[in-house]
Amino acid sequence: MATAVKICGITRIEDALAAAHAGAHAVGLVFYAPSPRCVTPAQAAGIIRALPPFVTTVGLFVDSSAQEVQATLSRAPVSLLQFHGAEAPDFCRQFGLPYMKVVRVRKGVNLLQYASDYSDAKALLLDAYVDGTHGGTGSAFDWNLIPQELPLPIVLSGGLDPDNVADAVRRVRPWAVDVSSGVETAKGIKDAAKIVAFITGARNADV
């Protein structure tokens, strides 16, 4: 199985195109105002229009209201939703779009229970728990905390970069890997060469 790659925190059209041309399967657009990678719906719409076909656009939300999500989707028609906060299953599924639920992993977090509660999610996105933040920290978590048999696909995130992604894929065997800060020159500014190196690392792990 070829591991899919998502490049998250895209803020510029040129970075989205660099990700697409390097072979990324998805790009992430952050709709969370405190994030340095936040984009407006208008900015996101421009990025979505510029992308070639067969690249999934993912909208990232953190404890937004249903009205805020709907208003964003009316202007920025992403293909997949990603919920990073304390959103309940019923909230996540009300928008008529497939979604992923993010779990910030640390000791004591029951991933099997999350998989049961969010059983209609397309995947669980597993990220590092860092107090007071909702991702994009560049921190990894202990991959041994992931149960051997989760009933949902895993999207692995947290502290991944071109140097460690191959090891992560071999050890965890996720459906996909997700990177943001690991391919940046500054927050929200991606490095095309790092994107290529990251995707190459993920593919080499599949050989």
Side-chain angles (χ1 to χ4, degrees), residues 23-61:
H25 301 77
V27 297
L29 302 164
V30 178
F31 301 110
Y32 178 54
S35 171
R37 302 171 182 90
C38 183
V39 291
T40 66
Q43 288 173 309
I47 292 168
I48 293 167
R49 284 193 299 269
L51 282 167
F54 311 121
V55 179
T56 300
T57 50
V58 184
L60 189 159
F61 297 89

Side-chain angles (χ1 to χ4, degrees), residues 8 14 49 67 94 118 122-123 152:
C8 198
E14 56 262 44
R49 284 193 299 269
Q67 293 76 16
Q94 70 180 292
Y118 298 88
K122 286 297 182 183
L152 289 176

